[in-house]
Amino acid sequence: MSNTAPPAPGTETGGAETVDTETVDTEAVGAEVVGAEVEQRVSWAELFFDLVWVFAITQIAAALADTTTPGAVARTLLLLVPLWWGWTGVTLLGNLAGPAIDRTAGRLTLFALSGCGLLMAIAVPHAYGAQPWAFAGAGVLLRLVLAVAIHLKTRPRLGRWHPFSATLLLGGPLLLAGAACDGPGRTALWAAAALADLGCWSLLGRRLDAVRFETGHLPERFGLFVIIALGETVVAVGGQAARAPLDPPAATAVALAFVLIATLWWTYFHYGAPAARHSIRHSPSTARTVREVFTYAHAGYATAVIGVAVGLKKLVAHPFDHPHGPPALLLAPGVALYLFSFCYARLRMFGAVGVPRLLGALACTALAALAPVLPGAATAALATAVLLAVNAAEAWYVETGRPLPLLHPPVRRRSGSAAAATPRRRG
């Protein structure tokens, strides 16, 4: 494994009144890391764990592609919440365990958690049909193993009531009760479980201030999850294109899809990475950054990219047709959600929203409204143009030394991350 940490994910850079800069200097951030302490690296066992979630994302995307109604789309996305919660929890376990996560006991724990995740992923296509107990039972077992492992690593600092114990005791029974019901009852109970999972981070996340996180490991782990999601876009496009001879319409769609995927990568890893890395390293409340930027904002990134993957798959199948069914309409909303998630992350980190990404998100929202009457290739081309324009605008502001236009909330509260961040000006 490389000894050089990849850039950390998070939110787009740009000047804010709370940070005396237009962007974070990547070299400056790197110097801080080198001059401070050796960072925790992602272990091979954690990468093995990620393989299961690669399959889980593929299962979610495949289930979305087979939906026929907006309600079915929403029910499928509900299944993503416990999977995302499980991945996030195991990532925090690996961070808190440090090097011990790659020793025998740590590896065996990760293997057990991986097995639970694999069973959940296998059950995804039939979770609302013949296999609800497999999905719910494996989800509860994952929560139990994780809660015990977290307790052993953090006792007595966290106490008994924290996000991991709460999601076991609240979300777990709701998952099992949902498995015992049929139809709308199952959907309602699993929706309540999803709200419990997400709400526990908000209500009890401050308890995590009692423990110390290693700040180099987390950006790398969450960046890897974005790579997993982007990998699904490549698989969706390539798999669909390989099913038939690559005629000119399909080749055009593949080219559009590739540029869109590359631009999604650029939007996340270019300017966003150094800013989030600097923020989490200097925040007086690392737990707050973990909760709001990594847990919530990255849930938005992941959901968005999965939606884009499904939309691109339908695009390659029928490049110049008007979309038929909800899956073919997920591309533009996915890009909009992706950009809105960056706006949220930047607001929580630095107290303001970058105007280019906000305008891009609004443009893609309008595009989503127009998508039903446009050929798929036109929607993809316009979404790609929006992303290219957003990144070009940011690059122009940064490279010319101009302050990035910002939108501040009416009542501005100085965030802990913003108060701590004082990165250098580029150049």
Side-chain angles (χ1 to χ4, degrees):
M1 172 119 12
S2 169
N3 290 326
T4 302
T11 179
E12 75 269 28
T13 59
E17 295 176 4
T18 52
V19 278
D20 303 323
T21 182
E22 286 79 42
T23 186
V24 176
D25 187 341
T26 307
E27 294 182 359
V29 175
E32 292 172 1
V33 174
V34 172
E37 62 184 28
V38 177
E39 292 182 346
Q40 178 182 340
R41 308 306 306 161
V42 175
S43 69
W44 295 115
E46 288 174 295
L47 293 177
F48 176 84
F49 173 82
D50 287 349
L51 291 177
V52 174
W53 261 251
V54 171
F55 175 60
I57 294 301
T58 298
Q59 289 286 83
I60 292 290
L64 277 176
D66 291 336
T67 56
T68 56
T69 65
V73 170
R75 287 193 297 272
T76 302
L77 290 177
L78 274 181
L79 303 179
L80 179 61
V81 175
L83 288 167
W84 170 250
W85 181 91
W87 187 90
T88 302
V90 174
T91 293
L92 297 183
L93 170 64
N95 186 276
L96 295 172
I101 199 65
D102 207 27
R103 296 173 187 153
T104 300
R107 289 175 176 177
L108 292 175
T109 301
L110 286 180
F111 290 164
L113 294 166
S114 298
C116 295
L118 180 60
L119 186 55
M120 292 177 70
I122 291 171
V124 161
H126 307 289
Y128 291 101
Q131 295 181 345
W133 288 105
F135 185 85
V140 172
L141 182 58
L142 185 149
R143 293 160 191 258
L144 176 60
V145 174
L146 183 58
V148 171
I150 290 287
H151 174 73
L152 293 176
K153 290 297 179 186
T154 60
R155 61 182 180 188
R157 290 167 289 172
L158 278 184
R160 294 182 178 179
W161 198 244
H162 49 77
F164 305 101
S165 61
T167 50
L168 171 64
L169 298 177
L170 296 179
L174 288 170
L175 282 176
L176 294 176
C181 296
D182 292 322
R186 181 176 302 166
T187 302
L189 287 167
W190 283 1
L195 290 175
D197 289 348
L198 297 175
C200 284
W201 284 108
S202 178
L203 297 176
L204 299 172
R206 290 182 178 85
R207 296 292 183 93
L208 299 179
D209 281 327
V211 298
R212 179 183 179 276
F213 291 98
E214 204 287 320
T215 56
H217 176 262
L218 289 176
E220 185 177 2
R221 292 293 293 133
F222 281 88
L224 284 171
F225 196 91
V226 174
I227 288 294
I228 290 172
L230 288 172
E232 178 55 33
T233 65
V234 175
V235 171
V237 170
Q240 183 63 49
R243 293 180 181 179
L246 197 63
D247 56 15
T252 300
V254 169
L256 271 174
F258 179 79
V259 175
L260 177 58
I261 294 167
T263 311
L264 290 173
W265 181 95
W266 192 275
T267 303
Y268 181 89
F269 286 102
H270 186 52
Y271 288 137
R277 184 181 186 86
H278 185 92
S279 178
I280 194 171
R281 287 185 63 83
H282 293 273
S283 172
S285 176
T286 305
R288 181 179 182 275
T289 304
V290 168
R291 180 177 70 251
E292 297 184 353
V293 176
F294 289 105
T295 301
Y296 289 147
H298 280 71
Y301 301 148
T303 304
V305 175
I306 293 171
V308 171
V310 175
L312 290 178
K313 180 178 181 179
K314 299 299 183 180
L315 167 69
V316 174
H318 306 285
F320 297 109
D321 292 351
H322 287 73
H324 297 286
L329 294 169
L330 290 177
L331 196 156
V335 178
L337 176 59
Y338 194 65
L339 292 173
F340 275 126
S341 297
F342 281 106
C343 294
Y344 166 79
R346 195 190 190 290
L347 179 65
R348 303 314 300 158
M349 291 173 66
F350 299 118
V353 174
V355 171
R357 298 199 180 199
L358 178 60
L359 292 178
L362 293 174
C364 286
T365 301
L367 179 59
L370 294 173
V373 299
L374 295 176
T379 300
L382 290 171
T384 303
V386 169
L387 286 171
L388 289 172
V390 168
N391 284 282
E394 290 179 347
W396 182 79
Y397 281 110
V398 171
E399 298 303 328
T400 59
R402 291 173 170 81
L404 188 75
L406 297 170
L407 181 65
H408 298 279
V411 179
R412 187 163 170 238
R413 183 180 66 181
R414 188 177 179 87
S415 69
S417 296
T422 314
R424 290 168 35 188
R425 178 185 294 269
R426 179 182 287 258

